Amino acid sequence: MSDHLSKQFDLELEHIRTRILQMGGLVERQLLAAIEAFSTGQLEAMQQVIDTDREVDAHQVAIDEACTLLIARRQPTARDLRLVMAISRIVTDLERSGDKAAKIANMSRRLQRAGSQRVPRLSDIHHCGRLATDMLQSALDSLARMDVDAARQVIGADKALDDAFNAILRQLITYMMEDPRTITEALDIIWIAKAIERVGDHAANIAENVIYIVSGVDVRHTAAPAKSLEQA
């Protein structure tokens, strides 16, 4: 690839990466707003979260198109192709995280409209949401800096989020066992907690892709993130 084409390729990649980080920031705000709306019960805020999902989807379509054009025009190979493939997976995880935020808002709206509140709005949900948002933010930071160590920390943080989800699950099961009238409401809150937990999984996926971009090592479905090729 000539120097001119190489520079053009780098510029196009940088534009795509900037767009991903913009999309990621939007999803972060969407998730935080969804958690806050669950706590406050504000229907207007819930609707705004749901409406934002269209904007997230538009980002995904634009980035996917940019990646397709990049491959067609530049025909990248080796590390450059690996980068474009990983970017496509990262965008998918961000879009699905946005879907989860919209689901939280939808379920919260359903709870609010149902009127009854036999199950208290658990503060643990807010804590769980904060953990997931922090993971997502850290995953995006690791992408911006191409920082393998930071990406590994994101993957390691997933256990704390899983533990928080399991604590919420045990608490809600207790409510349902003690008072069957709480079952419908408790199940809706479980779905909200599960959606938050899944955002953490998507953040961990993003971090795994950062490791793949930098090191060429695919750490998906492994017990622990592998060392980079440079460190091995």
Side-chain angles (χ1 to χ4, degrees):
M1 188 183 288
S2 70
D3 287 345
H4 173 72
L5 290 178
S6 178
K7 287 178 182 177
Q8 187 62 32
F9 179 82
D10 289 341
L11 283 172
E12 290 175 14
L13 271 180
E14 186 58 32
H15 174 73
I16 290 171
R17 191 169 71 157
T18 298
R19 189 72 184 263
I20 289 172
L21 295 175
Q22 290 173 345
M23 179 183 181
L26 180 62
V27 173
E28 281 182 54
R29 295 191 296 274
Q30 188 187 19
L31 180 60
L32 283 171
I35 300 301
E36 184 65 23
F38 167 78
S39 300
T40 62
Q42 293 181 349
L43 290 171
E44 184 179 347
M46 296 168 193
Q47 187 60 50
Q48 287 176 352
V49 172
I50 295 164
D51 292 343
T52 299
D53 202 42
R54 289 195 293 270
E55 190 176 347
V56 173
D57 291 344
H59 274 291
Q60 182 191 28
V61 170
I63 295 169
D64 281 347
E65 287 178 351
C67 287
T68 300
L69 285 173
L70 187 66
I71 292 172
R73 288 173 180 166
R74 310 300 174 195
Q75 298 180 355
T77 58
R79 187 180 188 277
D80 290 333
L81 182 58
R82 190 170 77 218
L83 173 58
V84 176
M85 290 172 61
I87 283 172
S88 181
R89 293 200 295 260
I90 288 169
V91 170
T92 298
D93 278 303
L94 284 175
E95 189 274 333
R96 288 176 179 170
S97 295
D99 285 345
K100 296 305 178 188
K103 181 174 183 176
I104 292 165
N106 264 313
M107 299 302 290
S108 298
R109 184 171 62 178
R110 174 170 153 172
L111 282 166
Q112 188 67 19
R113 287 176 172 172
S116 65
Q117 192 170 326
R118 292 190 173 93
V119 179
R121 295 295 173 262
L122 306 177
S123 60
D124 288 352
I125 291 283
H126 199 277
H127 171 65
C128 207
R130 183 72 261 179
L131 289 174
T133 307
D134 287 347
M135 282 183 67
L136 183 59
Q137 184 179 60
S138 296
L140 291 167
D141 286 346
S142 74
L143 174 64
R145 302 194 309 270
M146 291 298 174
D147 187 333
V148 169
D149 289 335
R152 287 198 186 101
Q153 289 176 7
V154 173
I155 297 168
D158 197 36
K159 184 181 183 305
L161 181 55
D162 289 344
D163 290 344
F165 168 73
N166 288 330
I168 291 169
L169 188 59
R170 287 193 298 270
Q171 191 172 356
L172 290 169
I173 288 172
T174 300
Y175 280 118
M176 289 187 285
M177 291 175 65
E178 291 179 351
D179 185 355
R181 294 175 300 171
T182 65
I183 289 175
T184 299
E185 190 175 349
L187 286 174
D188 285 344
I189 297 174
I190 287 173
W191 282 116
I192 288 171
K194 184 60 180 176
I196 295 170
E197 187 267 339
R198 287 295 294 143
V199 171
D201 290 341
H202 290 306
N205 290 346
I206 292 169
E208 288 172 350
N209 277 296
V210 171
I211 294 172
Y212 177 66
I213 291 169
V214 175
S215 69
V217 177
D218 190 342
V219 298
R220 292 175 297 172
H221 314 302
T222 58
K227 289 183 179 180
S228 68
L229 296 180
E230 293 83 354
Q231 294 173 320

